[in-house]
Amino acid sequence: MSRPIVAVVGRPNVGKSTLFNRIIGRRVAIVEDLPGITRDRLYHPVEWRGREFVAIDTGGLILNETDPLTLQVKAQAELAMSEADVIVFVADAADGMTSTDLELADILRTSERPVLLAVNKTDNPKLQLNASEFYAMGLNNLHTISAAHGHGVADLLDDVIDHLPEWTQEEEEEEGAIRLAIVGRPNVGKSSLLNAILGEERVIVSPLPGTTRDTIDTLFEYENEKLVLLDTAGIRRNIKIQGTVEYYMAMRARAALERSNVGVVVLDASAGVCDGDKRVAGFAHDAGRACIIVVNKWDLVDPGILPANGRRRPDRAKIEKFTEHFRNECPFLHYAPLVFVSAHERYGVAYTLETAIHATQNHSHRIPTGELNRIMREAVERRPLNDHGRTFKVYYAVMPSVQPPTILLFCNDNNMLHFSYKRYLENQLRESYPLEGTPVRIEARKIVNKDKEEN
């Protein structure tokens, strides 16, 4: 990223995510009174007093910990600190200064970056007085704040921008980029796919389901095309209990689909097509976005794709069998291409991006009105639709919008246009135009008086 970066770090449950949400002005990071909720690092642009920077929220740092997942959280925070221009070290006034705080302060003092100490939860005069003990850390830039209520945050941000390096770029790099939302049920390899695409450990990968909890946005370039990857939390069963972590994880995954150009639905090839996969695929379809199906862990089904000599020979019979199985289980996604990959071995990763870009282009494809009317007229003449002696008539067709391509038919009776005939008309369009990877919406509007309408 070219904008200055500010990393928010500290031990678990001191209010880093609450401060992060306060700084960016919206609830992006999940906040709950449990340690370890934030695991991956989150990026978000911020503007304060005319200065722009990128804020990073990190997982809580626990020193001398041997748990593999905790070590990865620590590594994510260390990566954030290494790329930051300013570090905001958050401590908890209610807990007082702990040994972990002192150890973190020792580490931060050795960095060459400015470190601002934000003593959080100073919600009353007594806690503000207690905050004075944190001067013992040897960090001069101390601020007493209440991230939950906003007290002192403005002064902290004033100090942040005073320490930022100059940045003169006027336009956001992400403008005009294709947004890919990586969705799927837990533990199908979404984060592994993102890391394979980027070629780095951008997000935490663990065999434990539910490792990713927030939506992660990552900007990069592929073949001169700007892309943004949105790695989302695994969508479990339909969570209906508001206020739970799982509920917010599912809501944010669905929100990521809403703000994306293409939904990348990831499946576990070794598990086949599960009910959870169908549910996630349904979310992608209902969002009306372009869609591709990434069948991950294909090396477990077809070991022949990774022979010792490096020549890859996929088993076409296995691919065709899985494709037929998916089409039978998810007929509503008949338009979505399947890509068979192994994120762990980086097999099929480039083709995934090419397919997603192609689907995004088709999602914006507009059919000329003259051609659209010709195709619809010939389709209706070839296969007339009759109901109780009445014949379905299409007077003319228009395409009022794209993303997804939407067709509006002006007809004699809109109630006659049932689902199967819509699918027939859609197939006629797909035979003539490149619409792979995008849904097509076909709606009908009844004309009461045709002659009056034409006049």
Side-chain angles (χ1 to χ4, degrees):
M1 294 184 179
S2 58
R3 295 187 180 198
I5 294 177
V6 177
V8 180
V9 303
R11 60 183 176 84
N13 214 32
V14 294
K16 296 184 300 300
S17 293
T18 303
L19 177 59
F20 178 80
N21 288 339
R22 175 69 61 178
I23 290 173
I24 67 176
R26 51 187 290 216
R27 186 185 173 102
V28 171
I30 295 175
V31 176
E32 195 159 302
D33 292 330
L34 293 171
I37 293 297
T38 302
R39 291 174 177 172
D40 295 301
R41 59 195 195 273
L42 298 176
Y43 294 75
H44 203 283
V46 179
E47 181 178 353
W48 182 256
R49 279 177 41 190
R51 294 292 303 277
E52 297 182 9
F53 61 91
V54 174
I56 311 178
D57 185 26
T58 65
L61 284 164
I62 304 177
L63 303 178
N64 302 320
E65 188 70 31
T66 58
D67 177 68
L69 191 58
T70 302
L71 290 174
Q72 290 200 53
V73 173
K74 179 182 176 183
Q76 291 291 321
E78 290 173 345
L79 282 171
M81 289 188 289
S82 67
E83 63 182 341
D85 297 290
V86 176
I87 299 172
V88 176
F89 176 29
V90 184
D92 187 340
D95 290 345
M97 187 170 56
T98 67
S99 59
T100 302
D101 291 327
L102 289 171
E103 291 182 62
L104 290 175
D106 289 339
I107 295 172
L108 293 175
R109 275 199 304 270
T110 62
S111 70
E112 299 178 355
R113 296 160 181 79
V115 179
L116 310 184
L117 176 59
V119 183
N120 191 25
K121 305 180 185 179
T122 55
D123 299 305
N124 58 56
K126 180 180 178 181
L127 290 174
Q128 289 182 2
L129 184 62
N130 291 344
S132 60
E133 68 173 323
F134 286 89
Y135 280 107
M137 290 182 175
L139 300 173
N140 296 325
N141 299 292
L142 186 148
H143 294 266
T144 57
I145 68 169
S146 172
H149 301 99
H151 303 154
V153 176
D155 292 336
L156 173 64
L157 288 175
D158 287 344
D159 201 7
V160 165
I161 64 173
D162 288 341
H163 287 86
L164 289 179
E166 291 298 324
W167 180 75
T168 57
Q169 182 173 335
E170 296 181 356
E171 296 184 359
E172 171 61 48
E173 291 182 2
E174 194 174 313
E175 187 71 26
I178 298 173
R179 306 181 69 85
L180 283 65
I182 303 177
V183 297
R185 58 184 179 84
N187 213 31
V188 295
K190 299 181 298 298
S191 295
S192 296
L193 176 64
L194 183 143
N195 287 338
I197 291 172
L198 299 177
E200 63 167 311
E201 295 300 315
R202 170 62 180 83
V203 294
I204 291 174
V205 177
S206 169
L208 298 174
T211 303
T212 301
R213 290 181 171 176
D214 290 287
T215 299
I216 313 293
D217 291 17
T218 306
L219 175 68
F220 74 109
E221 283 195 12
Y222 175 78
E223 298 292 334
N224 297 321
E225 191 81 57
K226 288 193 294 185
L227 304 173
V228 176
L229 294 177
L230 287 68
D231 183 35
T232 66
I235 302 177
R236 304 174 187 270
R237 64 187 183 279
N238 190 17
I239 300 295
K240 297 181 179 180
I241 303 175
Q242 295 191 18
T244 63
V245 173
E246 289 80 7
Y247 174 83
Y248 289 115
M249 287 161 60
M251 291 299 293
R252 284 175 182 160
R254 298 183 70 171
L257 282 168
E258 293 292 340
R259 62 189 181 93
S260 69
N261 300 104
V262 55
V264 179
V265 179
V266 184
L267 313 181
D268 182 344
S270 62
V273 182
C274 306
D275 289 340
D277 298 321
K278 299 177 192 177
R279 186 179 303 111
V280 175
F283 292 158
H285 175 73
D286 293 342
R289 300 299 178 258
C291 184
I292 69 171
I293 309 301
V294 173
V295 186
N296 191 25
K297 307 182 185 180
W298 189 244
D299 54 311
L300 302 180
V301 176
D302 181 13
I305 65 171
L306 299 169
N309 61 8
R311 297 184 62 186
R312 294 163 177 165
R313 296 179 179 177
D315 190 328
R316 299 304 307 175
K318 290 182 178 179
I319 289 177
E320 291 172 2
K321 182 179 179 180
F322 192 98
T323 301
E324 181 181 3
H325 175 53
F326 178 81
R327 298 299 185 207
N328 290 334
E329 295 293 326
C330 302
F332 54 90
L333 279 179
H334 61 281
Y335 56 86
L338 272 67
V339 184
F340 296 84
V341 310
S342 170
H344 183 262
E345 302 291 344
R346 292 183 58 81
Y347 167 77
V349 172
Y351 187 59
T352 297
L353 295 177
E354 293 166 5
T355 305
I357 293 171
H358 184 64
T360 305
Q361 293 169 344
N362 294 343
H363 196 232
S364 301
H365 186 81
R366 185 175 292 276
I367 302 174
T369 303
E371 283 295 302
L372 176 63
N373 279 272
R374 179 188 63 80
I375 294 172
M376 292 293 100
R377 181 176 63 253
E378 292 178 356
V380 172
E381 291 175 354
R382 188 180 303 113
R383 181 179 161 185
L385 175 61
N386 299 297
D387 185 16
H388 296 91
R390 301 186 67 232
T391 300
F392 178 69
K393 297 179 181 179
V394 176
Y395 301 129
Y396 58 94
V398 295
M399 195 171 183
S401 63
V402 293
Q403 297 181 352
T406 302
I407 312 298
L408 180 59
L409 305 177
F410 291 88
C411 60
N412 61 330
D413 189 348
N414 58 299
N415 294 322
M416 294 180 67
L417 185 61
H418 52 72
F419 172 78
S420 61
Y421 202 75
K422 283 185 180 181
R423 175 66 64 84
Y424 162 70
L425 295 177
E426 178 184 336
N427 290 337
Q428 302 305 302
L429 290 171
R430 292 186 183 278
E431 288 181 3
S432 302
Y433 287 94
L435 297 171
E436 185 182 34
T438 179
V440 175
R441 303 284 191 253
I442 298 180
E443 304 297 335
R445 181 177 299 174
K446 181 179 180 179
I447 295 181
V448 179
N449 188 325
K450 178 178 178 297
D451 294 334
K452 181 178 179 181
E453 179 70 22
E454 289 179 342
N455 290 335

